[in-house]
Amino acid sequence: MKEKLRVLFAAFEAAPFMKTGGLGDVAASLPGAVQCPTIEMRVVLPKLRQIPAEYQKKMKFLCSFYVPLGWRSQYCGLFELRRGGVTWYFLDNEYYFGRDGAYGYFDDGERMAFFAKAICECCRYLPDFFPNILHCNDWHTALAPVFLREQYRYAPGYSDIRTVFTIHNLKFQGQYNPHVLSDILGLDGVAAARNQLLRDDGKCVNYLAGAVSYSDRVTTVSPTYAREICTPYFGEGLQDLFLRRHDILSGILNGIDTVSYDPAKDKALVQNYTDPDGKAANKKALQEELGLTVDSEAPLCVCVSRLTEQKGFDLLNAVAEEMLSCAQIAVLGTGDRAYEDYYRALEARHPGRFSAQIRFSEPLSRRMYAGADIFLMPSRFEPCGLSQMISMRYGTVPVVRQTGGLADSVEPYNRYTGEGTGFGFLNFNAHELLFTTQEACRLYTESPVAWGNLAAQGMAKDFSWRASALEYRKLYRGLFT
């Protein structure tokens, strides 16, 4: 094994530069956690317009080069920034990245292909750092392992680079018209690439499938999700590919930033605390802020989420009015218009019992984690999920569907032994959500000591990046043994 590994971690977003979801949190925290004397981590991102000016001003211009993309030759600037003990690189192209948003454009297929190709190209321009490992994340970077093997394998040093590809959400795969093979990717004449990128029906090119086929290791963000995607229900049409590559597929559970999410120091809270007894003042303040009846004995359930079908809101909608007979409920988030309208109407019908916060506010989300008793997360599928971990960190007991990372991070409560950290149900069924939530409410109301112990057990769990970092180090080293 090499004495020191150099890992280039590639992602399309990372906090605090730009974040739209869980990928941004992972890319912000994981590289610094993994870095150690024998592994040097550096990160490469697109230089998006949304990056705050305070960071753009600190970036150092290193050089520029041209990226071959199909018949095109596109400019790329390379910038560097040191932050948090990690070196960050930013790839600049105003045409592709100077947009008002990160995603959702007609030419996203070309934009992501340029980013993936620029990742490969930039390796030869990084000062004092030629990677041993390229670690790509989600479909935005999925073509990098393909380009690396098919178009860079004869360039000096490139054939020695090992590749890791992590799937954060299989729902998004990067599927495009087959004409991109020649017009954008320049791979139409490469039989192996055509076979791996072009799906069986010949009607679309799938970027993510290419990464799964070409990478040396494929990971997901929880062990259970790694098993689930090998089945038709969770596999999103790629289950046969995952079964063929099961020998290089594994799952490593994400962590959370336990320094940022710390109820003992969080400045967004009304009162800081280190045990569940300290939640009372936060609950009272939250009820007042959300227009709920101030009642310490009423269980307060909250959801902090994108309002989408994936997150299980169809289940909540079906039983919300029944749940309000035993608990208060508050929802924070934006998403599908149908869900937003339903929750506004529910608030109008049940003032003081239901609160619809159709917006997103980071400070309010923290106050909801701290002030609630129960956190609802009935997802249809969940590759990892961070909200259930944050809720336990704040002493709020999660009620989850036992799928993906929810099954790996929440231990169901055992009424006989008192063990566990939350409540779970197996089937994607509205009444299983209802009955499980009612069970949690009964424990809260009838057994306050048992409830306090359960909340304390959740707070005591270590959801930092330490355990995940050890697994990634082992994965990286295993590529050279």
Side-chain angles (χ1 to χ4, degrees):
M1 191 185 76
K2 297 179 181 296
E3 290 185 6
K4 185 170 185 176
L5 296 178
R6 297 179 298 276
V7 182
L8 185 62
F9 188 93
F12 205 78
E13 59 179 81
F17 307 112
M18 201 287 292
K19 186 188 90 165
T20 64
L23 171 60
D25 289 316
V26 174
S29 302
L30 181 59
V34 174
Q35 188 156 261
C36 64
T38 58
I39 299 177
E40 182 178 2
M41 301 287 294
R42 298 193 183 186
V43 186
V44 59
L45 304 167
K47 190 172 181 286
L48 298 170
R49 179 181 292 174
Q50 296 90 338
I51 297 174
E54 63 179 294
Y55 299 117
Q56 296 209 36
K57 291 177 182 177
K58 296 177 182 177
M59 293 180 188
K60 175 186 176 183
F61 175 74
L62 296 179
C63 67
S64 65
F65 50 89
Y66 282 85
V67 177
L69 191 68
W71 51 267
R72 305 159 189 78
S73 181
Q74 299 284 43
Y75 165 88
C76 184
L78 178 62
F79 290 77
E80 180 185 73
L81 174 67
R82 289 281 298 173
R83 185 179 185 277
V86 175
T87 298
W88 302 78
Y89 296 113
F90 297 85
L91 301 179
D92 178 45
N93 180 289
E94 187 67 18
Y95 175 71
Y96 291 124
F97 303 143
R99 314 280 178 101
D100 292 333
Y103 312 109
Y105 295 94
F106 77 95
D107 61 344
D108 274 358
E110 183 177 334
R111 296 173 68 228
M112 302 309 165
F114 169 80
F115 182 52
K117 193 68 175 290
I119 291 168
C120 296
E121 191 69 25
C122 82
C123 291
R124 64 177 100 216
Y125 297 99
L126 302 179
D128 304 318
F129 186 88
F130 192 87
N132 308 119
I133 298 171
L134 176 61
H135 186 161
C136 296
N137 293 269
D138 268 353
W139 76 271
H140 326 105
T141 59
L143 288 174
V146 182
F147 288 139
L148 192 71
R149 299 302 177 220
E150 295 295 354
Q151 297 180 339
Y152 287 84
R153 58 181 164 179
Y154 297 118
Y158 277 85
S159 63
D160 296 327
I161 298 175
R162 306 291 194 269
T163 51
V164 177
F165 182 69
T166 297
I167 300 167
H168 298 261
N169 193 334
L170 184 57
K171 193 78 171 177
F172 305 100
Q173 299 177 11
Q175 301 180 66
Y176 294 98
N177 188 290
H179 85 273
V180 305
L181 270 174
S182 58
D183 182 60
I184 297 174
L185 310 186
L187 293 170
D188 190 49
V190 181
R194 282 183 57 86
N195 291 339
Q196 301 303 335
L197 287 166
L198 198 61
R199 291 297 83 207
D200 295 336
D201 60 6
K203 294 181 179 179
C204 84
V205 164
N206 189 310
Y207 288 11
L208 188 142
V212 174
S213 298
Y214 274 84
S215 297
D216 295 305
R217 295 289 186 275
V218 176
T219 73
T220 68
V221 288
S222 70
T224 295
Y225 193 60
R227 295 190 294 271
E228 288 176 340
I229 62 176
C230 294
T231 67
Y233 185 84
F234 295 97
E236 300 291 344
L238 298 182
Q239 59 273 7
D240 291 341
L241 174 59
F242 291 121
L243 285 171
R244 288 199 300 270
R245 304 237 67 197
H246 74 278
D247 57 322
I248 57 102
L249 174 65
S250 62
I252 300 175
L253 188 69
N254 281 340
I256 60 173
D257 185 343
T258 53
V259 175
S260 174
Y261 292 110
D262 184 356
K265 298 177 181 178
D266 194 333
K267 294 180 180 179
L269 309 189
V270 171
Q271 179 177 300
N272 294 117
Y273 58 95
T274 57
D275 59 63
D277 292 339
K279 290 173 62 72
N282 288 287
K283 179 176 180 177
K284 179 177 183 294
L286 182 63
Q287 288 173 322
E288 293 172 344
E289 181 178 1
L290 301 184
L292 299 171
T293 302
V294 176
D295 182 354
S296 62
E297 297 184 1
L300 174 54
C301 303
V302 302
C303 291
V304 177
S305 175
R306 288 178 291 110
L307 306 182
T308 64
E309 183 267 349
Q310 177 208 330
K311 297 298 183 179
F313 284 103
D314 288 340
L315 302 189
L316 180 60
N317 291 4
V319 296
E321 303 217 48
E322 290 179 82
M323 288 172 62
L324 287 171
S325 64
C326 68
Q328 297 176 338
I329 302 175
V331 173
L332 171 64
T334 60
D336 295 350
R337 180 67 180 271
Y339 297 129
E340 294 180 355
D341 290 345
Y342 179 79
Y343 295 132
R344 288 189 181 102
L346 199 59
E347 181 182 63
R349 291 198 302 272
H350 299 277
R353 296 290 294 177
F354 189 94
S355 177
Q357 301 296 314
I358 309 303
R359 58 194 174 101
F360 189 75
S361 164
E362 175 74 14
L364 177 56
S365 71
R366 292 167 178 266
R367 291 193 290 275
M368 290 177 73
Y369 286 123
D373 302 301
I374 296 169
F375 191 88
L376 301 176
M377 205 165 174
S379 303
R380 180 180 289 275
F381 67 93
E382 196 65 61
C384 177
L386 301 178
S387 294
Q388 79 281 7
M389 300 181 196
I390 299 170
S391 73
M392 286 185 276
R393 174 80 167 148
Y394 283 72
T396 296
V397 176
V399 170
V400 303
R401 179 165 175 257
Q402 291 175 280
T403 182
L406 302 178
D408 292 328
S409 58
V410 179
E411 181 186 352
Y413 175 66
N414 185 320
R415 72 179 70 180
Y416 304 105
T417 66
E419 296 174 313
T421 57
F423 293 83
F425 62 98
L426 286 174
N427 298 305
F428 193 73
N429 178 282
H431 280 86
E432 286 197 28
L433 168 63
L434 173 63
F435 300 150
T436 305
T437 305
Q438 288 174 333
E439 180 186 358
C441 289
R442 278 194 297 273
L443 185 69
Y444 175 86
T445 303
E446 300 172 5
S447 306
V449 174
W451 182 267
N453 291 337
L454 179 60
Q457 286 159 194
M459 292 186 77
K461 292 285 286 185
D462 181 8
F463 289 115
S464 71
W465 279 104
R466 283 189 290 271
S468 305
L470 291 174
E471 291 298 313
Y472 278 106
R473 289 171 189 164
K474 186 187 302 182
L475 177 74
Y476 292 156
R477 290 171 180 138
L479 290 167
F480 295 94
T481 57

